[in-house]
Amino acid sequence: DAKTTQPPSMDCAEGRAANLPCNHSTISGNEYVYWYRQIHSQGPQYIIHGLKNNETNEMASLIITEDRKSSTLILPHATLRDTAVYYCIVRRYSGGSNYKLTFGKGTLLTVNP
Amino acid sequence: GAVVSQHPSRVICKSGTSVKIECRSLDFQATTMFWYRQFPKQSLMLMATSNEGSKATYEQGVEKDKFLINHASLTLSTLTVTSAHPEDSSFYICSAGQGEESGYTFGSGTRLTVV
């Protein structure tokens, strides 16, 4: 069961890059890393996911270490609206053709003006 | 992008009654849907995984007779909280998967208050 470890909270200045770390040292070779964020009282919002290679989309970049035991989510230019709880999740195989996402406690990112 | 609609967004019900929450994938077919529950200041807790046309798989400790899940079509899953009690008051969130290589889209959640 690949669990993740994230710092409980981080601060970032508006306009600067936010780098959110995640440890997943027990990840298996075919397990994806997913990142979501949740703003208070809303459903989680998908950010990005990856397996081995670094990934980038319009929201963020995902850097996965070569041994895949950790990853970093990068928000290149944080804004006040990026204040949220960020969850790093290892998608776990649950049998048949099923997978599931199990949420940890996440990191509360606060972007300050 | 993929959209998951969840209804209702808020519901207040009396203790002992049942409440049904709907989760629809609007622009894609979801072979798998997930139901989560979130208490204040806590993370999301996976309750069950539902596959279209088959019985849901419940997580350990989740009462399947209390939380009835139906996934009758590729675009609709429902969660019915039966004989609701105040301790069932929570934020219920559904999620739908598009396939192994894709992301999972979450609904906006349902705030259930049992009085």
Side-chain angles (χ1 to χ4, degrees), chain B residues 58-59 61-68 88:
Chain B
Y58 290 81
E59 295 297 302
V62 178
E63 300 175 59
K64 56 184 68 177
D65 293 332
K66 180 167 184 64
F67 299 100
L68 301 179
D88 297 324

Side-chain angles (χ1 to χ4, degrees), chain B residues 38-97:
Chain B
Q38 186 175 33
F39 292 107
K41 298 187 179 181
Q42 294 187 23
S43 185
L44 284 78
M45 185 193 79
L46 180 64
M47 299 176 66
T49 303
S50 74
N51 292 302
E52 185 263 340
S54 62
K55 291 183 178 180
T57 302
Y58 290 81
E59 295 297 302
Q60 193 171 10
V62 178
E63 300 175 59
K64 56 184 68 177
D65 293 332
K66 180 167 184 64
F67 299 100
L68 301 179
I69 292 172
N70 183 277
H71 192 162
S73 75
L74 287 172
T75 59
L76 174 65
S77 177
T78 61
L79 167 68
T80 302
V81 182
T82 63
S83 187
H85 291 286
E87 56 265 31
D88 297 324
S89 298
S90 189
F91 192 50
Y92 292 86
I93 310 167
C94 71
S95 172

